[in-house]
Amino acid sequence: MTEAAYDAIVIGAGHNGLTCAGYLARSGCKVLVLEANDHPGGLAATWEFAEGFRVSAAHLLHILNPQVAKDLALELHGLKCAAADLRTVALDGAGGQVAIYGGKVEGVDAADAVAYAEFHRQTQRFTKVLAGFCARTPPRLAERGWGDNLALARLGWDLRSLGKADMRELLRIAAINIYDVANDRFENPLLKAAIGLDAVLGSHMGPRSPNSVYGYLHRHLNDGLGGGGPRVVQGGMGALGEAFATAAEAAGAEIRYGCRVVRIDLQDGRVAGVTLADGNGFTANLVLSNANLKTTFLDLVGPANLDAGFVRRVHNFRAQGVTAKLHLALDGLPEFRGLASTDAGARLLLTPSMDDIELAFNHAKYGECSPSPIMEVSIPTLHDPALAPVGKHVLSAVVQYAPHRLRGGWEASRAAFLQTCVDRLETFAPGIGGMVLASELLAPPDLEKQFNLRGGHWHHGEIALDQALFMRPVPGAHRYATPVSGLYLCGASAHPGGGLSGLAGRNAALQAIREQEAK
Amino acid sequence: MMKQYDAIVIGAGHNGLCNAAYLAKAGLDVLVLERNPHIGGASVSRELYPGWTYSNCSYVCSLLRPEISRDLELPKHGLQVVPYHGGVTFTQDGDYFGNYPDEERQLREMARHSPRDASAHQRFEVDVMKQTRLIRQFLLKTPPDPTSFKPRELKGLLELAAAFTELGEEGLLDTLRFWTLSIGDFLDEYFETDVIKAHMSGSGIIGTALGVYSPGTAYVLLHHYMGEVDGSVGAWGFARGGMGAVANALASSFLAHGGEILCAADVRRIIVEKGRAVGVALANGDEHRAGIVVSNLDPKRTFLQCFDAGDLPAEVRTRAKNFKIRGSSGKLNIALDGLPTFPALPKHSPLVLADMHFSDSLARLERAYDDWKAGTWSQDPYLDMLIPSTVDPTMAPPGKHMMTVFVQYCPPTLASGPWTPEARAAFGQTVIDQIAQYSPDFKSLILDCEVRTPKELEDEVGLTEGNIFQGELTFDQLLFNRPFPGYAQYRGPLPGLYLCGSGTHPGGGVMAAPGANAAREILRDLRRPNTVPPGYPND
Amino acid sequence: MKPHDETLLLDTPFAAGVRRACQLQDWGHWKGYATPNAYEDVEQEYFALRNAAGVFDLSPMTKYRIGGPDAGAFLNRLLTRDVGKIGPGRVGYCVWCDDAGMVLDDGTLFHLSEGDYRLCAQERCLDWLHWSALGFDVDIQDETAAVAALAVQGPTSCAALRALGLDGMQDLKPFALRSFAFDGGELLASRTGFTGDLGYELWTAPDHAQALWDALFKAGRDYLIRPIGMAALDLARIEAGFIQAGEDFVPADQVLRPGRGRSPFELGLDWLVDFGKGPFTGRSALLRERQRGSRFRFVKLDVQGDKPAADSFILNKSGKVVGHVTSAAWCPSAKRNLALASLQMPWGRPDDALYAEIYYSRELHWTRLKARCKVIEGPLWDPPRRRQTPAPDF
C-alpha cells in the first residue's frame, strides 16, 4: 500500500532529521519524518537503564547552533537547561586538577594562564571563521559557478580578516596535531591533556595524529559564536530530541515512529519515495536521509542503483566507532581525588596527560580496547535529581578507546571492558566501585544496534580532514545532494558532521529548497 | 684588511653548494664555509673502512632536480646516476613479495599474492602519478604568501589555484584527500594483502616521525615518488661513487664559476650590525664579511645557535624553538666479505639487487612507530636495505660488497637518557638480527659495521636531532609554512640573511631545489639577472 | 604460498606450434606473453585473412568468468548495453564506463549458459569488477591462463573448421556460440572476430591446445590456412574500423591528465548505450552528455593519396588543429587510405573540409603533406559473407 504523496520525506528523527524537517516545513513543504525507533532524537535520547535511573546517549550539549535553536524556537518547545556553561575540570587521579571556564584556566601557573587566554582568543577567532563555513553548503572548488566563487571569496575574506598573524597561525595548525600545538604553548600536563582530549573525543585519533587540531576546533565550534561551556539538558538529552520533534511538528512536519525505512525507491534514476519494513510505502520527489552515509547508499538505495565508483567511495568512508558509553547507577556521590566539591557537577576529563591518551589510542590501532581508557564524565543527577532516586546518582561517561571491530569480538569482551572502565574510575574516585548498583556499557556495536548507526560511530564517520569540510562525506555527495536526483543527506555524515549542532539538517534543507526552486 | 665577499654560504651540503654555484654563476664573489674537514653535509662518500666507500648518510638519488643537474653541468663535473630497480619485502612465513621493473612480471608477482591487488596496482600508480604531476610543478618555485596582497604573491596564488582547478572537482577533492590521508588508509583503498601494503607504505614514513596510520603520510609517500632518473618519474638510482659524488660535482661546478670553499671553518655566529647580517665569526676567531649571508643549516640551528638572542625578533626565536625537526631514523653501513644469500628468493633472482625490507604488515610498521613514541628504537624496525656494490663497482673491492641499511625508527634521545655506546651497539644488533633472520650467512660476512643514530647525524652533519629532512614534512612546515609562516621565501628576518637548506620549500632529500630557489630570490633582491633555470614544463 | 613464476615472458598454450611457425622470430609482448608480430610475411598474413584463412593466437586476451545468482544483474549494471538481450549461446560486443561515463575498456561478453558468462577484454579489470560487485552475489574468476584461444578468420575459415570436424559450423550465426567435442574435451566455437570478416574464435582448455593447433593446420591446409601475427591483425581491424583500447582511446582508469578520457558517444559507440535498461555505471553522466553535447567525435577518414596518416594532426580549412589520428593504414582490400580520428566537436560532419598533416621520409628527406580527408559513413570493409548463414565455403 502506498500512502498519499508528501513533498518531502525525512528518514530518521535524529536531531538533524528533525531540524531538516522543521526548515522544510517552514518553507511550506509537506514533510513526513519516518523514525524506526519509538522516540525522537537519535542519540539525543534518554532511557531508564536501571530501575529508577535514567541516562542519555549524548550527555552534554556543546555546539547546538544558536541560529538553529532560534529558528526552531527550541526553548519555546520545551528545551530547558538544568545547567549551562559547565566548568571543565581535568583530573590526573593523583589529586591534581585544572579547571577551564569562561576562556580562562585555573590551577596552572601564570605563564600557562596567559598562554591559554591567548589560545582561547585564537580559538574563538578561528572557530568564528569555521562556524561561518559550517553554516553553509561548501562551495565547489574547481567546477565553480558564480555562487561558488562568491562563497570562496567570502571564505577568503573571512580568512584575511583574521589579520596576517592569526591567518598564518590558522593555516599553520589547521592540518597538524594537537600534541605539538599544546606542547608549544603550555607546560601543565593536565591542561594539555584536557585540550588533547577535546581534540580526539569521538575520533579514531590520538593527540599525536596529524589533523587532530581540526577535531579540537570542531568541538569548540560555538566558541566563536559566544558560546560558553557545555550544557546539561533538563530531563536528559531525550528532552532535546523531544523539543526538536515538537518544533518540527509545530512547523507543520508530520512524524511517524516505529516506521523503519528499508528502501529508498527510485524511478528512472531519481527518488520516488520510500518503502517501510512492513511493506508500506510513501511517495515523494524529495527524500532527505538522516541515516548515515553507508546505511543510506549501501542499504537503502543499494549499490546496484549507483555508479560503482561512487559505491567505492562510500565503502571507503571511515566510520568505525572507537567510543563507548558507560553508565553507572551509584548508591551515592563519588568523590574524585582533587576535585572541589563545588565542581562535582562539572564536565570531568579523566586522563593525566596527552601521552596517556596516546598510549590508550595505541591499542585501538590494533583492534584492542585501551587497558587504561580515557573518559569524559558527567554526573547529571547533580543538576537534574529527577534522573535517579533520591540520594542516588547516575554517572555517565564517554569512554575511549573501544574499537567497533574488536579483535575477538565484543560478546567476549564487553564485561571485561566494563570492569576495566570501573577500575580506571576507581583510580580517580576511590570507592566508586563499591557504589555501583547497576551498570551499562554501550560499545560501538551496541550503539549501532540501538541507534541504527552503521559502524557505531558517534559522528556517523570520522571527522578527519580527509572527510571533512569540502570533502564530507565523500566527493559526489559533499553538498547534501547525492548522485541520486532528489535524494539529500541531512545527517552527521554530511558537512559539518556530528555533535548536536543541527547544522547538517539546516544546511541540507536550505540546499534542497534552493535546488528545488531552481528547477 | 679582511676580504669582503658578496655572499657567504654557511654549510657545504648539497643545497649550500647549489646555492653558491648559482650565485657565483651570476658573477658574485662567494665563499662557502664548512665545519667538517670534508664537504657534502649529508651527501657524502666516506672511506671509513679501508677499501670500502660508505654513502654513510643519504644513500640513493632521485629527487635531484634534472634542471639543476643539467644547468650546472654536473655530469661534466663527475656525477653519474645509475638507476637501480626493484624491491622485495620478506615475510615471516618464508615467502616474499617482489617488486620488478618489468610491469608484467610485477603484476604476476602481485597476482601470486592477490589477483585483485595486481589489478588495483594500476589504479594506485595512476592516482599517485596524478599527485606527482601536481607537486612537481612547484618544486622550482618560491611559495607565494597567502596573506599578502602584493601582485607577485597574488599571481603565485592564482597559479597555485589554477593548477588545482585544472584537476576538476573530483580530482581536486581527491588531491585534498590524498594530502590529508594516512598512507595506511590510502593503501587500504587499493590493496587487500598485508605484505603488499607494507611494501608500498615504506615511502610514507621514511625520515618521518609519523606512523603508517598517521594522517599526512600519504603526502610523505609523494615526496619519495616525485623524483626521477632520466625522465622516469619515481625511479631511484645510485650516484656512482656514492652520494658524495653529488656534492663533489656541485662543488666542482661552483669552483668552476670562481667560487671559494673553506673547510674546517666552524661558524659560531652570524655577525649582525645595524640590524643587518654582515658576516660570520668562526670558532677559531676568524671573521669573514659579506653583503649577504646564506645559511644552509636547519632553521633551528641557524636561529638558535648562530645568533645573539638580541639580534633576532622574539617571534622568530619562538618559531625556531617550536620548529619540528625530529630524528626518527638510523643507519647502518656495513662492509661485507661477500654477497649474503636470502634463501627465500629463487636462485638467480634479480631481487638481490633490489631494495630489501623485512616488515610484512602495516601493524608491524605501526608498532615500530609506537616504540619511537615511547622513546626507544623500534624493536622490530622498518629497514630499507640496499647493496649498492651490486650496481656500482667503485663501492667495494671486487667480490666484496657494501651494504647500506636505513632504519626507521630511531629516536634522537632515549627515554632512559642520552645515547650511549652500549645503546648504540644494541640498536645496531637489533637491525643485524632482523636481517640475519632472513639471511643465515649475513652475520659471518660482516667485516665492519658503522652504526649511526640520530645523534651521530646531529654531531657529524649538524642536522638538529638528526632529522634527515631538516624538519618534519607536516603541513605546518610545508609550502608557504616552511620553515615558518612569513619566512617561506628564503629571506630571513634580517636584511642580508637568507636560508637555503632543506628546511625551506620544497624540503628534504638530495633535491637541490631549496638552494636554487634561494639563489633566485637573492639575485632578485640584488637586482641581478637570474641564473636559476625554470622547471621543465608540466606536460 | 604459491611459487613465483620467474620467467620473464610467458608462453601461450600454443607455444610449440607458434614457435615452430614463427620463422621471422619477430616477437612482441602482449600482457606478459610472447606473441609474434609476424610469422613470415605481414602482407601474406594479411591476405590470408582476406582471401583464405588466418589463425591468430589470442590466448593472452584477458578473460573473466562471471557466475553466481546475480551475474546477469551485475553485468547489466557494469556494461552500457542491455545484457538481457544477449541470450545463452550468444555473444555481445560491449563497453563499460566509469562514473563519469568515460570508457574503461571494450570487450566481448559470452553468455555460455544461463547465468554463466565470460568477459573478454584487452585490459585487466579485476579491481573494477570487484568494486562493481559490491551488493551483488556473483563469483568472478580470472581465467586468462585457463582458456586457450585461437581466432580463425577469413573466407575459408568455415570450410577449414568443418574439415577439422566441427560439423554444422556453417549454421552458426554471427555472434552465436556452440560447443563441440574435441580431443576428448570441449571446444567452444563462436562466430566472432576482430577482422570485420567471416571468422570464428575457438576456446578450449590448455591441455587440448597443442592438439587443436596441429589438427587445425592439418585440416586447413587445403583451405590455405596460415598463422598470422599482430601486425596483420592490426591492419585488418583498422580496415574494419574497429577501435582498440590504448590505441584509439585511453582507458579511463589510466588517464592522468584531466579530460583525456572518451565516452562511448565520443568513440562512435552510441548503439552500445541503452538508457532504457535501468541503472548502470556512468548512466547519469552519459545522460548529461546527451543533453549537453559531446566534446569529441570519432570518425573514419578517407585520406587523399596513399601515405598512411599515422599520428597526424587533423586540420580544418583555416589550418586550425581540430583533432588527431589514432590509427591509420593503407587498406589493401578496401583500397583506401583509412584513418581513425578523434575530432573536436563539431568537426567530423560529412561535408567538413578536413586535412591530415602527414610527415613521411624518402631517403631521409622529410616531406610534409596536407592531405584532404573525407569522412566515411558506414563500414569500409563489410563483405556479405560476414553476415551470411549458412556461411559460404570461400
Side-chain angles (χ1 to χ4, degrees):
Chain A
M1 192 192 84
T2 294
E3 290 198 36
Y6 289 84
D7 293 330
I9 291 169
V10 175
I11 302 170
H15 80 285
N16 272 316
L18 294 167
T19 302
C20 182
Y23 277 95
L24 287 170
R26 274 159 46 107
S27 82
C29 276
K30 192 174 172 210
V31 187
L32 173 65
V33 183
L34 296 169
E35 168 58 47
N37 285 339
D38 57 4
H39 55 83
L43 282 165
T46 302
W47 67 94
E48 191 174 81
F49 77 102
E51 201 179 331
F53 292 87
R54 290 164 60 73
V55 77
S56 309
H59 62 185
L60 294 170
L61 192 53
H62 286 269
I63 56 169
L64 176 64
N65 184 264
Q67 190 65 44
V68 169
K70 189 172 155 229
D71 287 347
L72 296 181
L74 291 180
E75 290 184 13
L76 185 72
H77 292 111
L79 173 63
K80 267 206 231 38
C81 286
D85 206 4
L86 282 194
R87 286 160 66 84
T88 290
V89 181
L91 300 172
D92 64 4
Q97 64 107 23
V98 160
I100 296 171
Y101 178 74
K104 296 194 177 68
V105 60
E106 301 160 14
V108 299
D109 65 17
D112 270 356
V114 170
Y116 183 80
E118 167 63 7
F119 181 63
H120 179 70
R121 182 195 68 79
Q122 272 187 336
T123 302
Q124 279 185 312
R125 301 201 71 204
F126 297 165
T127 51
K128 193 173 171 196
V129 175
L130 184 61
F133 186 80
C134 286
R136 297 189 287 269
T137 300
R140 295 183 197 85
L141 290 172
E143 289 148 25
R144 301 183 296 265
W146 65 271
D148 301 306
N149 284 328
L150 206 66
L152 284 171
R154 190 167 166 188
L155 178 63
W157 177 255
D158 285 351
L159 284 171
R160 296 234 172 185
S161 302
L162 288 171
K164 243 186 188 93
D166 280 356
M167 178 182 173
R168 281 184 172 151
E169 183 63 2
L170 179 57
L171 293 181
R172 187 180 79 85
I173 67 171
I176 64 167
N177 68 28
I178 197 72
Y179 188 87
D180 289 342
V181 171
N183 273 330
D184 287 352
R185 291 169 179 253
F186 309 115
E187 290 298 330
N188 186 301
L190 209 43
L191 171 60
K192 290 190 273 191
I195 291 169
L197 193 140
D198 268 358
V200 300
L201 205 61
S203 293
H204 182 84
M205 281 190 177
R208 276 184 184 264
S209 303
N211 296 353
S212 47
V213 166
Y214 182 74
Y216 183 85
L217 295 178
H218 186 266
R219 175 159 302 273
H220 287 264
L221 199 56
N222 275 13
D223 285 15
L225 304 174
R231 286 178 269 176
V232 177
V233 175
Q234 180 84 45
M237 203 59 96
L240 176 72
E242 299 285 354
F244 270 109
T246 314
E249 284 172 332
E254 182 186 340
I255 308 172
R256 297 198 193 183
Y257 297 100
C259 293
R260 178 179 293 275
V261 173
V262 293
R263 193 173 71 225
I264 294 172
D265 299 316
L266 310 183
Q267 202 163 32
D268 196 28
R270 62 159 295 128
V271 147
V274 300
T275 300
L276 303 183
D278 62 12
N280 287 331
F282 297 93
T283 60
N285 291 327
L286 193 57
V287 171
L288 302 103
S289 176
N290 188 26
N292 76 14
L293 177 75
K294 291 192 184 190
T295 303
T296 303
F297 288 106
L298 301 183
D299 298 339
L300 301 183
V301 174
N305 292 307
L306 297 162
D307 286 349
F310 181 73
V311 171
R312 179 168 68 205
R313 288 192 184 280
V314 171
H315 178 90
N316 287 338
F317 184 58
R318 292 181 297 117
Q320 302 279 327
V322 289
T323 309
K325 194 69 202 301
L326 174 72
H327 303 134
L328 299 179
L330 297 175
D331 203 14
L333 187 63
E335 281 185 31
F336 284 84
R337 220 179 249 151
L339 184 68
S341 58
T342 48
D343 270 342
R347 170 179 180 247
L348 306 178
L349 305 181
L350 308 188
T351 174
S353 67
M354 291 196 290
D355 287 326
D356 180 67
I357 307 175
E358 187 71 23
L359 275 177
F361 172 58
N362 278 355
H363 297 271
K365 297 188 290 192
Y366 312 113
E368 303 158 6
C369 284
S370 309
S372 189
I374 57 163
M375 297 185 206
E376 176 198 63
V377 169
S378 160
I379 304 181
T381 40
L382 282 166
H383 306 293
D384 190 357
L387 295 172
V390 179
K392 319 271 189 219
H393 285 282
V394 167
L395 181 144
S396 167
V398 177
V399 183
Q400 279 181 197
Y401 294 83
H404 179 265
R405 217 178 279 152
L406 186 65
R407 248 200 291 155
W410 270 102
E411 280 322 304
S413 313
R414 190 178 285 99
F417 188 60
L418 197 151
Q419 191 56 47
T420 302
C421 293
V422 174
D423 292 347
R424 176 75 164 171
L425 277 169
E426 185 77 27
T427 65
F428 286 86
I432 195 171
M435 303 168 91
V436 177
L437 301 172
S439 61
E440 177 183 55
L441 179 79
L442 296 181
D446 307 315
L447 295 166
E448 172 166 30
K449 201 161 158 239
Q450 191 165 335
F451 299 104
N452 302 307
L453 202 58
R454 197 167 154 149
H457 197 292
W458 285 74
H459 297 313
H460 286 205
E462 282 296 307
I463 300 189
L465 280 180
D466 59 290
Q467 37 190 45
L469 300 172
F470 300 96
M471 290 166 279
R472 190 165 185 87
V474 294
H478 56 294
R479 302 177 77 244
Y480 304 105
T482 69
V484 178
S485 177
L487 175 63
Y488 289 76
L489 291 174
C490 72
S493 295
H495 171 77
L500 294 178
S501 73
L503 284 171
R506 172 179 177 271
N507 294 353
L510 298 181
Q511 182 71 12
I513 293 165
R514 253 193 312 274
E515 293 188 0
Q516 296 308 307
E517 276 171 358
K519 275 179 185 165
Chain B
M1 179 71 192
M2 194 110 213
K3 181 176 172 189
Q4 170 85 17
Y5 291 91
D6 291 330
I8 288 173
V9 178
I10 307 170
H14 67 279
N15 275 312
L17 292 167
C18 173
N19 181 268
Y22 278 113
L23 296 182
K25 196 179 168 194
L28 301 192
D29 195 0
V30 186
L31 171 67
V32 174
L33 297 171
E34 169 56 46
R35 185 185 66 165
N36 283 324
H38 55 267
I39 64 157
S43 180
V44 286
S45 305
R46 304 191 58 195
E47 185 173 329
L48 297 180
Y49 185 71
W52 272 258
T53 303
Y54 292 174
S55 286
N56 75 341
C57 298
S58 66
Y59 52 101
V60 280
C61 191
S62 164
L63 295 171
L64 181 67
R65 296 311 305 152
E67 298 92 337
I68 295 170
S69 181
R70 177 174 176 174
D71 190 67
L72 292 179
E73 299 184 285
L74 300 189
K76 193 179 98 180
H77 292 285
L79 178 63
Q80 186 185 6
V81 178
V82 184
Y84 74 89
H85 292 294
V88 57
T89 293
F90 294 94
T91 60
Q92 293 177 98
D93 63 0
D95 199 357
Y96 65 96
F97 168 70
N99 202 332
Y100 298 85
D102 179 72
E103 193 187 331
E104 287 301 325
R105 201 176 189 184
Q106 159 84 72
L107 286 173
R108 281 214 304 281
E109 168 64 354
M110 279 194 136
R112 186 169 74 91
H113 295 273
S114 156
R116 185 175 176 177
D117 284 358
S119 169
H121 185 240
Q122 175 173 288
R123 181 163 59 91
F124 173 82
E125 291 279 311
V126 167
D127 286 354
V128 172
M129 198 54 77
K130 281 180 188 167
Q131 302 308 326
T132 306
R133 273 175 44 76
L134 178 70
I135 195 76
R136 278 162 58 93
Q137 300 175 57
F138 300 106
L139 298 179
L140 274 178
K141 280 190 179 146
T142 300
D145 178 356
T147 67
S148 167
F149 285 104
K150 285 185 188 144
R152 183 183 185 222
E153 307 304 326
L154 289 175
K155 185 169 164 279
L157 284 172
L158 283 175
E159 274 175 20
L160 200 69
F164 276 87
T165 301
E166 194 219 333
L167 302 170
E169 191 71 18
E170 290 225 350
L172 200 162
L173 296 177
D174 278 338
T175 295
L176 295 180
R177 285 190 76 233
F178 181 83
W179 286 30
T180 48
L181 267 174
S182 74
I183 183 62
D185 286 330
F186 183 66
L187 289 164
D188 281 343
E189 296 186 359
Y190 297 85
F191 304 112
E192 59 184 11
T193 312
D194 231 3
V195 62
I196 292 178
K197 287 191 268 191
H199 185 88
M200 302 281 182
S201 68
S203 297
I205 54 167
I206 283 185
T208 299
L210 291 171
V212 288
Y213 277 121
S214 300
T217 43
Y219 174 81
V220 179
L221 174 98
L222 195 55
H223 207 82
H224 294 99
Y225 270 66
M226 67 194 186
E228 65 177 88
V229 176
D230 300 322
S232 170
V233 175
W236 287 80
F238 292 117
R240 194 173 198 267
M243 286 302 280
V246 177
N248 291 341
L250 282 162
S252 171
S253 177
F254 168 57
L255 295 175
H257 283 111
E260 209 176 308
I261 301 174
L262 194 57
C263 283
D266 187 5
V267 172
R268 279 296 156 89
R269 193 166 57 84
I270 295 172
I271 304 168
V272 178
E273 284 173 6
K274 293 180 191 152
R276 198 186 156 83
V278 295
V280 298
L282 302 188
N284 65 8
D286 287 357
E287 287 190 3
H288 296 278
R289 299 258 165 178
I292 60 168
V293 176
V294 189
S295 173
N296 186 29
L297 311 181
D298 68 64
K300 234 183 174 82
R301 185 166 286 254
T302 303
F303 294 120
L304 298 182
Q305 292 192 20
C306 295
F307 282 97
D308 292 335
D311 284 343
L312 285 178
E315 185 219 352
V316 170
R317 288 184 62 82
T318 308
R319 290 213 183 267
K321 245 180 236 156
N322 292 342
F323 186 69
K324 305 295 177 281
I325 179 161
R326 295 173 167 139
S328 58
S329 334
K331 183 98 193 292
L332 268 62
N333 298 299
I334 302 173
L336 294 170
D337 203 19
L339 198 59
T341 54
F342 293 86
L345 294 180
K347 256 196 181 141
H348 311 302
S349 168
L351 297 175
V352 290
L353 311 181
D355 247 308
M356 296 191 177
H357 318 281
F358 309 90
S359 303
D360 59 358
S361 75
L362 289 175
R364 279 177 73 190
L365 288 162
E366 186 68 25
R367 285 185 197 275
Y369 168 57
D370 288 346
D371 288 342
W372 179 88
K373 284 196 295 187
T376 168
W377 67 87
S378 306
Q379 300 307 303
D380 179 18
Y382 168 75
L383 306 187
D384 182 31
M385 191 200 92
L386 286 151
I387 307 177
S389 49
T390 55
V391 173
D392 179 353
T394 70
M395 299 298 281
K400 314 286 180 193
H401 286 282
M402 187 267 157
M403 176 191 274
T404 160
V405 192
F406 179 88
V407 190
Q408 195 82 8
Y409 301 79
C410 186
T413 53
L414 300 170
S416 54
W419 279 98
T420 58
E422 296 73 34
R424 189 177 63 216
F427 163 65
Q429 199 57 45
T430 304
V431 175
I432 288 171
D433 288 345
Q434 195 192 63
I435 300 170
Q437 278 179 45
Y438 302 88
S439 176
D441 57 354
F442 168 61
K443 280 187 185 177
S444 66
L445 295 169
I446 298 175
L447 298 173
D448 174 62
C449 176
E450 185 204 10
V451 180
R452 300 173 65 86
T453 71
K455 185 181 182 309
E456 279 70 40
L457 199 56
E458 168 153 22
D459 291 351
E460 290 172 23
V461 184
L463 289 162
T464 303
E465 289 194 32
N467 178 297
I468 66 169
F469 291 143
Q470 272 204 3
E472 288 291 319
L473 298 176
T474 45
F475 284 100
D476 51 337
Q477 304 187 159
L478 282 178
L479 277 169
F480 44 72
N481 285 334
R482 192 169 184 91
F484 322 138
Y487 295 98
Q489 301 190 329
Y490 309 96
R491 292 171 186 81
L494 307 175
L497 176 67
Y498 296 83
L499 295 180
C500 75
S502 294
T504 59
H505 171 79
V510 182
M511 194 168 0
N517 288 343
R520 188 177 56 243
E521 293 302 316
I522 292 167
L523 294 171
R524 185 184 158 85
D525 287 355
L526 294 176
R527 296 175 193 282
R528 294 270 191 150
N530 178 30
T531 52
V532 180
Y536 290 147
N538 189 35
D539 71 337
Chain C
M1 72 192 92
K2 269 163 70 184
H4 183 197
D5 176 5
E6 288 277 323
T7 35
L8 263 174
L9 260 183
L10 297 178
D11 275 336
T12 77
F14 299 104
V18 170
R19 288 197 177 279
R20 221 168 26 228
C22 184
Q23 310 240 350
L24 271 180
Q25 300 292 343
D26 178 7
W27 297 95
H29 298 187
W30 182 15
K31 297 282 166 205
Y33 288 87
T35 302
N37 288 321
Y39 283 82
E40 288 181 59
D41 179 279
V42 176
E43 193 180 23
Q44 288 184 32
E45 288 167 29
Y46 164 82
F47 276 105
L49 282 174
R50 291 291 185 237
N51 171 54
V55 177
F56 181 76
D57 177 5
L58 51 85
S59 304
M61 173 78 77
T62 310
K63 301 175 276 292
Y64 299 103
R65 189 66 166 262
I66 297 163
D70 292 344
F74 160 77
L75 286 163
N76 231 357
R77 152 47 158 36
L78 175 79
L79 308 174
T80 60
R81 69 180 285 183
D82 189 351
V83 172
K85 291 181 181 160
I86 304 172
R90 299 286 302 168
V91 185
Y93 174 63
C94 52
V95 293
W96 49 103
C97 296
D98 67 4
D99 290 19
M102 297 297 130
V103 176
L104 286 161
D105 200 2
D106 63 345
T108 40
L109 181 69
F110 292 71
H111 196 165
L112 303 173
S113 61
E114 186 63 46
D116 184 15
Y117 296 89
R118 173 180 297 153
L119 184 65
C120 292
Q122 176 67 16
E123 301 297 321
R124 295 185 185 86
C125 57
L126 195 60
D127 177 51
W128 182 249
L129 295 184
H130 271 289
W131 283 112
S132 297
L134 260 183
F136 292 91
D137 187 359
V138 283
D139 179 46
I140 302 168
Q141 296 296 333
D142 184 338
E143 56 174 16
T144 303
V147 180
L150 288 181
V152 186
Q153 306 273 310
T156 63
S157 56
C158 182
L161 290 176
R162 284 165 65 197
L164 178 66
L166 305 186
D167 295 334
M169 205 63 193
Q170 67 278 15
D171 297 326
L172 195 64
K173 290 181 177 161
F175 289 100
L177 53 92
R178 185 184 295 178
S179 173
F180 296 90
F182 176 79
D183 188 33
E186 190 196 11
L187 179 71
L188 198 67
S190 57
R191 187 165 165 189
T192 49
F194 203 42
T195 59
D197 208 318
L198 175 65
Y200 301 85
E201 287 167 332
L202 308 176
W203 315 81
T204 190
D207 318 349
H208 306 295
Q210 205 47 57
L212 176 61
W213 179 274
D214 294 340
L216 179 63
F217 281 96
K218 195 170 164 219
R221 191 181 304 142
D222 296 343
Y223 299 93
L224 311 181
I225 201 167
R226 63 186 301 154
I228 65 152
M230 199 65 108
L233 182 72
D234 195 48
L235 188 49
R237 73 98 191 162
I238 292 173
E239 188 169 44
F242 293 159
I243 58 168
Q244 183 161 1
E247 297 287 333
D248 300 291
F249 68 96
V250 184
D253 56 354
Q254 295 174 28
V255 165
L256 275 180
R257 295 157 183 83
R260 302 286 166 93
R262 291 291 185 269
S263 76
F265 303 132
E266 292 168 343
L267 291 174
L269 300 174
D270 308 37
W271 64 279
L272 284 177
V273 182
D274 185 346
F275 287 120
K277 69 159 182 166
F280 61 88
T281 298
R283 183 177 187 272
S284 317
L286 291 173
L287 265 177
R288 266 196 306 277
E289 183 183 334
R290 266 282 107 118
Q291 284 157 14
R292 294 179 193 169
S294 301
R295 304 161 302 163
F296 303 97
R297 193 192 323 258
F298 196 81
V299 292
K300 294 193 281 283
L301 298 174
D302 186 1
V303 183
Q304 189 184 32
D306 60 359
K307 303 284 179 293
D311 305 325
S312 292
F313 283 119
I314 299 296
L315 315 173
N316 66 10
K317 209 167 190 171
S318 55
K320 186 176 163 270
V321 173
V322 297
H324 61 272
V325 171
T326 56
S327 295
W330 169 259
C331 299
S333 298
K335 300 296 177 208
R336 300 266 196 109
N337 190 21
L338 182 73
L340 306 181
S342 179
L343 306 182
Q344 292 158 27
M345 279 297 188
W347 301 101
R349 292 161 296 200
D351 295 327
D352 281 338
L354 299 169
Y355 302 85
E357 193 172 69
I358 302 169
Y359 292 77
Y360 66 97
S361 162
R362 285 291 176 267
E363 291 156 344
L364 294 182
H365 182 87
W366 279 92
T367 308
R368 175 166 168 263
L369 187 71
K370 239 176 99 179
R372 178 75 200 258
C373 304
K374 191 166 165 36
V375 176
I376 303 170
E377 291 175 279
L380 195 63
W381 179 254
D382 191 23
R385 59 176 179 257
R386 184 182 171 193
R387 263 180 286 276
Q388 280 167 0
T389 310
D393 275 345
F394 48 83

